Each structure stands twice: as structure tokens, then as C-alpha cells.
Amino acid sequence: MRIVVKVGTSTLAHSTGNLNIRHMEELCKVLSDIKNAGHEVLLVSSGATGMGAGKLGLVEKPEDIAAKQAAAAVGQCELMYTYDRLFEQYGHCVAQILLTRMDVEDEDHRANLHNTLFRLLEYRALPVINENDSVATEEFFIGENDTLAAMVGGIVGADLIVLLSDIDGLFTADPHLDPEAELISDVREIKPELLEMAGGPDNELGSGGMYSKLKAAETAMSVGCDMIIASGSQPDILYDIVEGKSAGTRFWAGGDNS
Ligand code: GLU
């Protein structure tokens, strides 16, 4: 199986901004084991800006573009240094790929990216992908990594894209606020009502940043990839996922007939 796994800052870091060592160690261990079992893994990892801000000792969260880009430049090193050390323990080699929208959308750039990713997989390296936050300009900004993961999934023809999130999947309401909220385990079509339930584009916090995840799922489905949203607090869930067991919410690219 070829699988793209996306992890967000909420999985990689504590609310203090410091590294969540347990989560990161578990994630790297499970991904290494999944690779050892013969699967191909690509990791889309956020965390550069947050880690950079922490490393620079910035008291305030960086707000202006130059401060965010500077923090990302520092944090990306820290992120790769951490992944390199952790994956090396299990004999895996990481490769950093930083992208802007142009690399995915321009035909020549995309072909290049495709070839590089496939060569890395052939070499059994583990591509660790992020947006090129330190230089991306507004024109070529993707902005969030859920969509980036869906785009990467399309380029490599992934069997599955997994978004590890701070919630267990898509719920009928925000589970942080509503105890009656129920998990929706299968989605075969992203209907407008679903996007509305997630709070719409202007209310990203409506149900835990779910709107951008639904838009990413829409992109994944349109390029023929299934997507799963599951909790990143227990990276072990990836074992169930590669074994085809039900976990979190699965978006089926096959639509109604799958
Ligand atoms: N690329 C951003 C970073 O590494 C994260 C984007 C996102 O969280 O989706 O800080």
C-alpha cells in the first residue's frame, strides 16, 4: 500500500509549543514499522512555524509574514533534525521536500516532483513534505497541509491519505463542545450540508478546523484517493488503518457505488 500520512502541529507539539516527545517517538516508530512491513510511506508534516517560534524563544506568536517565514526557516531545520534522529533509530532515511503551489500545479514542476518522489520511494527513503513556508509568496501559497497532503496523494497515486488530527474524525457537531456529537464513520460524497456543518470557510473553529479537512477530502476524492481522518494522539491507529480496519472517518473516492 502507498500511504500519505499528514500530521499537524497539535500532534507534534504540546499546547506550550514544545515538542510532544511521546507522540513524535510513537509516530516515527509506527511509520518505520509500517515501512518494514513493505508499505510505502510519505509523511506530510506541519510544525515548522511553531517549532521555530519556540526555538527562537519568541514570546508572541509570529504574526507578520517576515516573522512567520523566519520562524519557519528555523523550525523546518529543527523538524527535520528531529525526524532524522528518530527514523534513524529504526534504520530509515528521511528526505526533505518543500513545496509551493507552483510545484504542484505547473506541469514541468509537477513532473519533476513526481519523478523525485518516485525515485525516493524506489530508494526506500521516507519523503517528509511541508510547504516551503520560508519563501512561499501569497500567489503560490497553499496555506494548510491537509490540502497539501491531498495534492501529494494525487501526484503519487496514493492508495490512502491519512490526516492525523486532534479529533477522532468527522462528527455531527463539535465533540469538544457537544457531548451528543456522533462520529460519522463513512462519507461517500461531500454534500454542501456537510461543509455547512463544519462551520463554513469563515468559521474554521466550528468543528476543530474541519472545514479545511473536508475541502482536502474533496480534493483527495477528486483525484481518486480515499482519505481517513483519525486521531493523532495514538499513532498506533495507523496499524489498524493499513490492515483495513475501520478507524475515524473514511472518505471514499469511489462515491456512491463503492
Ligand atoms: N506549513 C505550516 C508549518 O509547518 C503548517 C500548515 C498547517 O498546519 O496546515 O508550520
Side-chain angles (χ1 to χ4, degrees):
M1 178 184 271
R2 182 173 303 138
I3 175 169
V4 175
V5 177
K6 181 255 166 178
V7 273
T9 311
S10 62
T11 302
L12 303 175
H14 291 284
S15 51
T16 55
N18 297 325
L19 199 67
N20 188 323
I21 296 171
R22 183 169 60 96
H23 281 181
M24 266 200 106
E25 286 189 340
E26 277 175 21
L27 175 75
C28 294
K29 186 169 150 187
V30 174
L31 291 178
S32 295
D33 207 15
I34 287 174
K35 267 174 73 63
N36 287 352
H39 300 289
E40 290 178 334
V41 177
L42 299 98
L43 179 62
V44 173
S45 177
S46 304
T49 318
M51 271 193 193
K55 184 127 200 220
L56 288 166
L58 305 181
V59 187
E60 303 282 318
K61 206 171 154 214
E63 288 299 342
D64 64 293
I65 292 179
K68 279 190 200 164
Q69 296 198 309
V74 172
Q76 186 62 33
C77 292
E78 183 72 354
L79 198 58
M80 287 312 295
Y81 172 68
T82 308
Y83 281 128
D84 194 32
R85 265 183 315 135
L86 292 174
F87 280 112
E88 200 184 28
Q89 287 178 12
Y90 302 105
H92 289 287
C93 168
V94 293
Q96 171 182 264
I97 301 276
L98 298 177
L99 303 174
T100 64
R101 187 176 280 280
M102 203 213 283
D103 300 310
V104 182
E105 290 182 350
D106 173 86
E107 204 180 318
D108 289 342
H109 283 230
R110 189 181 168 95
N112 241 340
L113 174 61
H114 172 276
N115 293 343
T116 306
L117 290 175
F118 273 95
R119 188 57 61 90
L120 285 168
L121 293 177
E122 197 183 307
Y123 291 157
R124 305 202 181 291
L126 196 160
V128 180
I129 302 160
N130 196 0
E131 185 157 14
N132 199 348
D133 295 309
S134 54
V135 296
T137 52
E138 210 175 320
E139 193 185 354
F140 295 116
F141 213 47
I142 299 167
E144 42 78 26
N145 281 355
D146 298 327
T147 298
L148 179 62
M151 290 169 158
V152 169
I155 291 172
V156 299
D159 298 297
L160 191 59
I161 301 163
V162 181
L163 304 184
L164 291 178
S165 169
D166 58 350
I167 53 172
D168 295 334
L170 176 66
F171 284 81
T172 51
D174 184 346
H176 298 305
L177 303 174
D178 183 351
E180 308 277 292
E182 280 176 31
L183 180 77
I184 302 171
S185 55
D186 293 283
V187 175
R188 291 177 191 274
E189 193 190 341
I190 311 251
K191 299 200 172 124
E193 303 90 87
L194 216 52
L195 290 167
E196 215 168 284
M197 198 180 77
D202 301 327
N203 182 18
E204 256 296 47
L205 297 177
S207 91
M210 199 42 85
Y211 183 83
S212 68
K213 289 186 171 44
L214 287 180
K215 292 305 281 181
E218 211 168 44
T219 303
M221 290 156 95
S222 74
V223 293
C225 297
D226 281 10
M227 182 180 266
I228 289 181
I229 300 175
S231 168
S233 63
Q234 287 157 337
D236 266 21
I237 202 165
L238 287 165
Y239 286 121
D240 287 348
I241 289 174
V242 292
E243 283 166 19
K245 294 185 190 146
S246 168
T249 301
R250 188 175 187 123
F251 297 85
W252 297 85
D256 283 337
N257 302 322
S258 69

